[in-house]
Amino acid sequence: MSLISLDILRLRNLLSVSLEPDPHLNLIVGPNASGKTSLLEAVYLLGRGQSFRTPENGRLISDGEADCVVAGRFRKGDFVHRIGIRLAAGERRIRIDGRGVDSRAELLERVPVRIVDPSLYRLLEEAPRLRRRFLDWGVFYHDSAFLPAWRRYRRALQQRNAALKAGDREGAQLWGRELAKYGKIVDRSRRCYLQAFEARLNAVGRRLGLGAEITVRYLPGWNAENALDAVLRDDLQRDLRYGCTHSGPHRGDFSILVDGHGVRHRFSRGQMKLLVHALVVTQGQLLDRPAVLLIDDLASELDLENQALLRELLVQTQEQIFITATQPEVLAGFGSQRHRMFHVEQGRVVPA
Ligand SMILES: Nc1ncnc2c1ncn2[C@@H]1O[C@H](COP(=O)(O)OP(=O)(O)OP(=O)(O)O)[C@@H](O)[C@H]1O
Ligand SMILES: [Mg+2]
């Protein structure tokens, strides 16, 4: 699946933009505040139904306007699919091939898209929530049993927490059994994904000169020496006291070791940035369908040698890539590859 046309109306400073991207490599150049990140935001919206910069969709609507619209045509084999999203005050409408769609999962199914931007460089330093989201996005495509189990798990978790808060011991036990049942499936899917992930990550990491051996340590969210249902039973007294569930996949996480060392307090910023790119490229390799990769501000904090290593890695992926930079020189290294270049100037996007 690759994006073959993109139309944006009234999204941030992009009042009316139309472009026809290259199926593989798109280079986007423009000064600060011209609208580069907003352009990536529009593509991301088509695959996720929301922004990566804010949970409030209303912020995407251009000042003084009532709504914003993004429409894309995607080629998949011989077929062309149309996806359209309209955001208005407190409202989001999604249409796929002319049909109204309620769930974001349908977008995810069709357009796997992810963004590498400066906030992702903190992936390995921040609280687990970001890593869980990263992990589960990959697991979603890797194992079709994951999403239904995860939804039921989340529902059971809400119910168990409500019972805990109400001091309802029996309710908490009942929902605890449901939690353990679906938690096991979620755990198995994540574990299996990370196993495949680790092997690929090592190959990618070597190409970026990151170290001899990268280990992905999975942290399931409870002491995995014991079964989750037994842990939930043991935790019950404490959970009732605090009114929340302490153990389970909703607390799951992973960490990365390079040559036996945790990277968080050891890696330089440039190394960390390369490692995050390695994680994202690995995720792309494990997808069962072509995807879209957005990279905002490729050059920041990378020296010329590492920029070249990363460039080589990126051009060999099977994904459709959109890369932004403020300086054309940063993207000049891609010149020998087939690509399309776009200039962004004050909300206007012009093919170069
Ligand atoms: N809702 C909005 N309506 C109109 N303009 C907006 C809105 N939200 C943000 N902007 C403006 O849109 C412009 C483009 O922002 P964007 O973040 O896309 O720039 P950029 O090209 O990525 O810049 P940089 O190189 O600094 O990252 C900015 O001037 C920003 O203030
Ligand atoms: Mg930007």
Side-chain angles (χ1 to χ4, degrees):
M1 190 100 140
S2 66
L3 182 62
I4 55 171
S5 76
L6 175 67
D7 293 287
I8 306 167
L9 293 172
R10 303 177 293 280
L11 185 142
R12 297 202 187 262
N13 73 333
L14 308 176
L15 295 182
S16 175
V17 164
S18 293
L19 56 107
E20 295 188 352
D22 183 80
H24 185 43
L25 185 58
N26 295 280
L27 309 175
I28 298 155
V29 178
N32 291 140
S34 54
K36 302 178 301 296
T37 304
S38 306
L39 183 59
L40 300 188
E41 216 171 12
V43 179
Y44 191 89
L45 189 66
L46 288 177
R48 301 271 186 126
Q50 63 188 38
S51 166
F52 53 86
R53 287 204 273 194
T54 167
E56 293 168 59
N57 277 335
R59 290 195 189 275
L60 274 64
I61 302 170
S62 301
D63 293 343
E65 301 287 346
D67 69 348
C68 97
V69 179
V70 179
R73 289 189 306 132
F74 290 84
R75 180 180 299 285
K76 186 182 183 193
D78 290 340
F79 294 96
V80 172
H81 295 283
R82 288 173 294 128
I83 295 183
I85 297 198
R86 177 173 171 269
L87 304 175
E91 184 186 40
R92 174 183 59 202
R93 293 255 170 92
I94 304 172
R95 293 183 83 77
I96 299 179
D97 294 330
R99 176 176 58 88
V101 164
D102 292 329
S103 146
R104 286 198 312 123
E106 290 212 36
L107 290 178
L108 285 170
E109 283 283 348
R110 287 184 165 72
V111 192
V113 56
R114 60 217 190 286
I115 171 91
V116 184
D117 73 342
S119 74
L120 196 68
Y121 303 141
R122 299 194 304 269
L123 179 73
L124 299 167
E125 295 159 20
E126 300 241 317
R129 200 167 50 91
L130 211 59
R131 287 186 292 282
R132 254 194 317 271
R133 204 185 304 161
F134 175 89
L135 170 61
D136 287 346
W137 185 85
V139 181
F140 169 83
Y141 296 98
H142 200 245
D143 181 356
S144 59
F146 172 74
L147 184 65
W150 179 237
R151 282 182 170 153
R152 297 183 88 148
Y153 179 85
R154 292 287 300 262
R155 191 169 149 262
L157 181 64
Q158 274 173 3
Q159 300 287 346
R160 185 175 189 267
N161 285 343
L164 291 168
K165 282 194 182 77
D168 172 5
R169 174 179 284 267
E170 247 175 58
Q173 283 171 326
L174 191 81
W175 285 109
R177 284 196 284 279
E178 187 91 346
L179 207 63
K181 178 175 166 190
Y182 293 107
K184 244 197 301 202
I185 303 173
V186 168
D187 178 58
R188 198 171 47 222
S189 303
R190 283 179 176 167
R191 204 176 280 276
C192 173
Y193 178 73
L194 284 183
Q195 242 169 37
F197 192 90
E198 187 180 66
R200 297 272 185 143
L201 179 62
N202 269 282
V204 173
R206 270 193 295 278
R207 293 184 54 191
L208 293 178
L210 281 171
E213 194 188 4
I214 307 180
T215 313
V216 182
R217 187 179 283 167
Y218 172 51
L219 307 161
W222 76 96
N223 177 358
E225 281 173 15
N226 301 314
L228 181 56
D229 45 0
V231 171
L232 289 171
R233 275 200 304 276
D234 288 350
D235 278 0
L236 187 59
Q237 210 48 44
R238 181 173 62 138
D239 286 356
L240 277 164
R241 195 160 57 238
Y242 290 98
C244 72
T245 303
H246 286 84
S247 301
H250 61 290
R251 293 276 168 91
D253 194 2
F254 68 88
S255 66
I256 304 278
L257 305 177
V258 176
D259 295 336
H261 300 284
V263 291
R264 190 168 161 196
H265 300 292
R266 194 175 175 94
F267 260 23
S268 75
R269 283 159 79 90
Q271 282 177 309
M272 203 61 122
K273 183 167 172 173
L274 279 185
L275 178 58
V276 166
H277 274 280
L279 295 174
V280 169
V281 167
T282 303
Q283 215 178 28
Q285 290 185 355
L286 286 173
L287 284 172
D288 59 353
R289 62 201 89 180
V292 178
L293 178 57
L294 310 172
I295 299 176
D296 203 10
D297 203 358
L298 178 83
S300 70
E301 289 171 19
L302 287 184
D303 60 31
L304 292 178
E305 196 179 319
N306 282 335
Q307 284 182 35
L309 284 175
L310 188 56
R311 246 189 341 256
E312 254 175 61
L313 182 71
L314 289 173
V315 296
Q316 282 172 21
T317 68
Q318 300 299 308
E319 306 192 46
Q320 184 180 31
I321 308 180
F322 294 78
I323 303 175
T324 73
T326 47
Q327 306 296 327
E329 306 84 71
V330 170
L331 302 177
F334 287 104
S336 58
Q337 297 291 322
R338 182 192 145 170
H339 68 271
R340 240 168 248 178
M341 170 90 87
F342 298 95
H343 283 291
V344 187
E345 260 321 306
Q346 294 181 351
R348 281 186 301 276
V349 181
V350 191

